[in-house]
Amino acid sequence: MKKYGLVKVLLVMLLLVVIATYCIEGRYAEISYLPLGDVFINYIQSYYYFFDTAVFILVVGGFYGLLNRTKAYRKMLDIIADKFSDNKKKFVIASTIIFAVVASLTGFNLVMLLFIPFVVSIILLLGYDKLVALSATVGAVLVGFIGGVFTTVSDSAGMSTFETLVGLDDKWGNIFPKILLLVLVCGLLVLYICKYIKRLENDKGYELTKNDALLIETKDKSGKVVKANYEGVKVWPLATMLVIFLVLLVLGFIPWYDLFEISVFDDFHTWLTGLSIGDYTVFSNLISSNFSAFGTWYNLGNFMMPIVLVALFSLIIKFVYRIKLDSAFEAIVVGAKKMLPAVMIAMLAYTVLVCSYNNGFVETIITNASESFPDNVVVSSLITILGSITNVDLYYTTAGVFSPIVSVLSDGANLSVYAIAFQSLYGLVGLIGPTSLLLIVGLTYLEVPYKTWVKYIWRFILELFIVIFIVMMI
């Protein structure tokens, strides 16, 4: 029953949300009770509201199911694992830093799930347990968000930084505190992982080093270990595709114009879509009229273009490695099935969001606390933690928590502190909060009990909180 621990925690959270609606006034200054039947209805509606998220998670599972069907993928994993067999710890450290830096520079969060299974598989092949693998990937991404240099959120004006949302004219006013925070928290995570690895040398750890039925297939149906034959298998086409995949995502999702006023991609897109033969617009009519320019892919939704790219690269992989259509389809279905429990639990987390956001009792808490403790960073930090747990999604946390906090601040408030506090605390909650989507997917897919993760990570969370507090004070 341990694997259902996260579900139990989320169900308890939903019960607390229901109780809160009976005790705290909602958005319209009156008690608005949340019936238990509506909680179930909200769970079903979560699949509709956040359909793209559910599809994206399943698509990632299907993509790795297809990769598992190619010997090139397993050969690439083995080559990398063999290369770092004498420097295993260095690979873990490098992975942690790379994930953190990429997340910081791009603002990616759940999108990084596209590459996490790949690195997790290598770490498992190196002999480390799943707690190390989760820390160096999922943990690193969320740490990178805490010190996110170019983290943005969608609003009516496009993509804005939190500094812009609080009304600061200088959207780069927190650039140096963010870089300092990134260096400190990333270094802290590396040290924390290294200490745990050292303990593993004298202990078995969490006994989660088995690879079967996870991200890489090492056994056949009878349970016998399969020794792959790599003769004639070429890795470079697959490696090239993965690199191109990452480059396209970075180019597509970084808001080049909103952040840096770089218009080259918009200009190229305008030129490309304007090409025509007579009255026939070539690109729009032949390819698509819905593809946005690099830097504006968020206009299509957070996961639309990653899903399209996964489909495109899956098709290329099928032809390059000559996988039969029925075999490819079967592999994709098997991979997606492994992600299905993660989707179901993620939608339970979204149900917490739908129930609390629709009722608005969190906004009432913010208003009452702000009136009692005006411009109090400690109080707003506690509210941010509460709001990050209940609102799950960054957009809704910003709209339902951050914006109400900012709206009641006085003219003399230190706005830059509130901006960096919100961003860093949202990332901190993502490392341990039961509603953190990236954490939910990681724990569920790797079958790591939530209780085990909490017992492993809680000391790091305390250390992280102290570091964040010190940086805010500076």
Side-chain angles (χ1 to χ4, degrees):
M1 295 296 291
K2 289 183 177 180
K3 63 181 180 179
Y4 299 114
L6 190 54
V7 174
K8 293 178 182 178
V9 173
L10 290 171
L11 290 176
V12 170
M13 284 191 62
L14 281 171
L15 179 60
L16 293 175
V17 169
V18 171
I19 294 173
T21 64
Y22 277 73
C23 305
I24 306 172
E25 292 181 347
R27 185 171 290 110
Y28 303 106
E30 61 182 17
I31 296 293
S32 180
Y33 308 120
L34 176 63
L36 292 175
D38 285 1
V39 175
F40 177 74
I41 293 174
N42 287 340
Y43 177 73
I44 302 301
Q45 288 183 327
S46 295
Y47 285 90
Y48 171 75
Y49 293 144
F50 304 100
F51 179 76
D52 59 337
T53 304
V55 172
F56 173 72
I57 296 173
L58 292 175
V59 163
V60 172
F63 182 61
Y64 278 91
L66 179 64
L67 287 178
N68 276 324
R69 198 55 62 94
T70 68
K71 290 184 178 181
Y73 178 63
R74 182 57 196 268
K75 181 179 180 180
M76 182 164 57
L77 293 176
D78 284 343
I79 289 174
I80 297 174
D82 289 342
K83 185 174 182 179
F84 287 93
S85 59
D86 296 328
N87 298 286
K88 297 188 294 184
K89 188 182 294 186
K90 289 183 178 180
F91 179 85
V92 173
I93 294 173
S95 299
T96 304
I97 295 173
I98 291 173
F99 271 110
V101 171
V102 171
S104 174
L105 296 180
T106 63
F108 287 174
N109 195 330
L110 193 58
V111 175
M112 292 298 291
L113 183 64
L114 285 164
F115 302 96
I116 286 175
F118 172 69
V119 178
V120 164
S121 298
I122 297 173
I123 294 175
L124 294 179
L125 286 173
L126 289 173
Y128 291 122
D129 72 7
K130 296 176 186 176
L131 293 178
V132 174
L134 280 171
S135 302
T137 53
V138 172
V141 170
L142 294 169
V143 158
F145 184 91
I146 291 173
V149 177
F150 299 143
T151 299
T152 56
V153 64
S154 178
D155 67 357
S156 59
M159 298 298 285
S160 301
T161 63
F162 292 109
E163 287 71 26
T164 303
L165 292 177
V166 298
L168 294 175
D169 294 331
D170 185 7
K171 60 185 176 183
W172 302 115
N174 278 338
I175 188 70
F176 293 111
K178 286 181 178 180
I179 293 176
L180 174 63
L181 191 58
L182 175 64
V183 172
L184 291 177
V185 298
C186 185
L188 191 64
L189 179 59
V190 168
L191 291 175
Y192 196 81
I193 295 173
C194 289
K195 287 181 181 178
Y196 178 72
I197 289 176
K198 189 173 183 179
R199 292 204 305 269
L200 287 180
E201 295 174 353
N202 301 317
D203 194 5
K204 285 186 176 181
Y206 181 53
E207 297 183 356
L208 280 177
T209 56
K210 294 187 295 182
N211 302 322
D212 55 300
L214 285 172
L215 308 171
I216 47 179
E217 295 177 354
T218 59
K219 296 182 180 180
D220 58 20
K221 294 181 180 179
S222 64
K224 183 179 179 181
V225 176
V226 177
K227 186 69 174 180
N229 180 12
Y230 297 139
E231 185 178 354
V233 177
K234 296 180 180 179
V235 172
W236 70 264
L238 182 58
T240 302
M241 281 186 278
L242 291 177
V243 172
I244 294 175
F245 200 171
L246 177 60
V247 171
L248 289 176
L249 287 174
V250 171
L251 290 176
F253 277 100
I254 292 182
W256 299 103
Y257 186 80
D258 291 341
L259 282 180
F260 314 108
E261 297 184 357
I262 297 175
S263 61
V264 60
F265 296 115
D266 295 284
D267 295 339
F268 175 76
H269 182 265
T270 300
W271 170 81
L272 182 64
T273 55
L275 289 176
S276 61
I277 301 176
D279 295 332
Y280 182 82
T281 306
V282 179
F283 187 87
S284 299
N285 291 317
L286 189 63
I287 307 297
S288 174
S289 60
N290 294 316
F291 283 5
S292 299
F294 284 142
T296 62
W297 282 7
Y298 55 83
N299 288 333
L300 296 176
N302 291 333
F303 305 115
M304 182 61 69
M305 284 307 299
I307 291 173
V308 171
L309 288 178
V310 168
L312 177 61
F313 280 93
S314 296
L315 190 62
I316 296 174
I317 290 171
K318 179 233 180 292
F319 285 107
V320 169
Y321 291 102
R322 299 178 181 178
I323 305 174
K324 294 182 178 179
L325 183 60
D326 57 344
S327 180
F329 182 76
E330 179 188 2
I332 291 172
V333 171
V334 170
K337 281 184 177 179
K338 291 179 182 179
M339 278 292 191
L340 188 57
V343 170
M344 297 177 70
I345 298 176
M347 291 303 111
L348 198 58
Y350 272 124
T351 306
V352 176
L353 161 62
V354 175
C355 291
S356 60
Y357 188 83
N358 286 349
N359 183 272
F361 69 87
V362 175
E363 294 179 27
T364 301
I365 294 175
I366 294 171
T367 302
N368 293 339
S370 299
E371 291 176 352
S372 303
F373 305 95
D375 298 346
N376 191 307
V377 177
V378 175
V379 173
S380 65
S381 296
L382 294 175
I383 293 173
T384 297
I385 292 173
L386 171 64
S388 298
I389 294 175
T390 55
N391 286 282
V392 186
D393 188 87
L394 178 60
Y395 174 82
Y396 287 94
T397 308
T398 303
V401 181
F402 185 60
S403 294
I405 290 176
V406 173
S407 66
V408 297
L409 293 177
S410 67
D411 294 336
N414 192 337
L415 299 178
S416 61
V417 173
Y418 285 92
I420 199 168
F422 176 82
Q423 177 179 320
S424 57
L425 290 175
Y426 179 85
L428 182 144
V429 171
L431 280 164
I432 196 170
T435 57
S436 171
L437 292 181
L438 189 60
L439 183 61
I440 287 174
V441 176
L443 294 177
T444 306
Y445 199 67
L446 292 177
E447 298 182 355
V448 177
Y450 179 64
K451 181 179 179 181
T452 300
W453 174 256
V454 172
K455 288 173 63 177
Y456 162 75
I457 203 70
W458 72 269
R459 294 182 182 84
F460 176 69
I461 297 297
L462 289 180
E463 295 170 1
L464 205 56
F465 188 82
I466 293 172
V467 170
I468 292 172
F469 180 77
I470 291 174
V471 172
M472 285 194 299
M473 292 295 293
I474 295 176

